[in-house]
Amino acid sequence: PWEKPCGGGVTSKALDQFEIFSGNLARKNVEEISVSFGDKSTVRLRPQHPLIVVSRKELGQQLLNDAATAGVRVLTERVTQLERVGTRWTVGTKGTSLEADFVVGADGATSFVRRTLGSPLRPEDLCLTLGYYIPGNYPPVMKIFFVPGLEGYIWSFPRPSHVSYGLISRSGPGRTARAKELLANFIRADLGSEALENSEFYSAPVPCLTFASWKTNKIAGEGWALVGDAAGLCDPITGEGIYAAFRSAQILASSIQQPSDYP
């Protein structure tokens, strides 16, 4: 578990469908949403349905704990080899080799499982996300900024122990440096010049599939399947992926005896 490069927003449909969010997981309940359109106007509204923000590290730890309680054997090692031998898989790490009947890739946009099977997401199907975690207790206001010339948006999501400021946009040569400077300027304008002194920077790719890629996106095959970001299952406009990750895993679990039904 780690603080993934993600706002951590959990939508009402996820809250309604997945039991993990009804437990003791630390959260920040969003009481107001602020949407700004450049310097022209800002719209403020109160959400009609519950909306929370969680720490991705704590959510990941809770998922891992629940899996272990359900009987899953957890190996905290990086997988370095994946090979199909007959009807089974050989899964290798630096110190372990084991066999499996079925492999599920739940390992993000740059999925090792997906790459090993020969179909990594193309550069044009990935967006850039970058941001900062800034410690402190912040008001329960979720902020979205649309900026002229930026294909994407900037966000500020309050979490239980810090605030996540981030930016998502199409990736490309030179864009990372410009995006980082733009985001830093926004944070200083919003919180003050010293806001970044104790911050933690993050950056990672997020799936944003093109129309053509949705039609050819292969998420399962003989003895394997992909879920969540690894399957490219993010909202292609917002980049929100928590709901899709849980829902795709739920669908796969219900069809595991007949995996061809999963796609």
Side-chain angles (χ1 to χ4, degrees):
W2 56 294
E3 282 296 0
K4 295 176 175 60
C6 161
V10 182
T11 58
S12 58
K13 62 182 179 181
L15 297 175
D16 289 342
Q17 292 189 40
F18 308 122
E19 192 174 319
I20 190 170
F21 297 114
S22 63
N24 297 321
L25 186 67
R27 70 196 63 206
K28 193 92 167 185
N29 295 307
V30 176
E31 297 179 7
E32 182 178 283
I33 302 172
S34 168
V35 184
S36 299
F37 302 90
D39 295 329
K40 296 180 179 179
S41 61
T42 298
V43 177
R44 292 181 175 84
L45 55 95
R46 290 188 173 274
Q48 294 181 331
H49 303 284
L51 181 64
I52 69 169
V53 185
V54 299
S55 159
R56 292 304 306 274
K57 182 177 182 179
E58 293 184 18
L59 176 58
Q61 187 63 61
Q62 185 64 55
L63 284 167
L64 201 62
N65 293 346
D66 288 353
T69 299
V72 172
R73 177 188 175 202
V74 179
L75 298 177
T76 54
E77 299 178 35
R78 180 182 294 277
V79 174
T80 57
Q81 182 183 12
L82 182 62
E83 186 178 2
R84 185 77 165 165
V85 181
T87 60
R88 290 172 63 78
W89 295 93
T90 297
V91 183
T93 71
K94 187 175 181 180
T96 308
S97 180
L98 52 93
E99 291 188 350
D101 294 314
F102 199 90
V103 167
V104 179
D107 50 344
T110 58
S111 170
F112 172 78
V113 176
R114 184 165 192 148
R115 284 186 282 119
T116 301
L117 296 171
S119 57
L121 292 175
R122 302 179 305 164
E124 55 266 40
D125 291 321
L126 294 170
C127 277
L128 163 75
T129 63
L130 54 85
Y132 294 87
Y133 303 123
I134 302 174
N137 185 22
Y138 290 86
V141 179
M142 177 180 286
K143 301 176 183 178
I144 303 292
F145 305 93
F146 291 104
V147 183
L150 176 69
E151 183 182 358
Y153 64 93
I154 294 172
W155 74 75
S156 168
F157 284 10
R159 292 178 171 190
S161 61
H162 61 276
V163 63
S164 168
Y165 272 82
L167 179 151
I168 183 168
S169 181
R170 287 285 174 190
S171 57
R175 288 194 176 188
T176 300
R178 293 197 301 271
K180 188 174 182 180
E181 182 180 6
L182 175 63
L183 178 60
N185 289 337
F186 254 79
I187 294 173
R188 294 188 185 102
D190 207 26
L191 299 181
S193 59
E194 299 178 355
L196 295 176
E197 288 185 0
N198 297 313
S199 66
E200 178 185 350
F201 178 74
Y202 63 81
S203 177
V206 168
C208 298
L209 272 62
T210 63
F211 285 118
S213 295
W214 279 113
K215 296 176 182 178
T216 59
N217 184 29
K218 187 175 182 181
I219 62 172
E222 189 64 36
W224 65 272
L226 304 171
V227 297
D229 279 18
L233 302 177
C234 273
D235 184 299
I237 296 176
T238 67
E240 194 278 322
I242 293 177
Y243 174 82
F246 276 95
R247 183 69 182 121
S248 57
Q250 189 180 58
I251 294 170
L252 178 59
S254 67
S255 60
I256 198 72
Q257 300 301 327
Q258 192 66 39
S260 59
D261 290 344
Y262 169 61

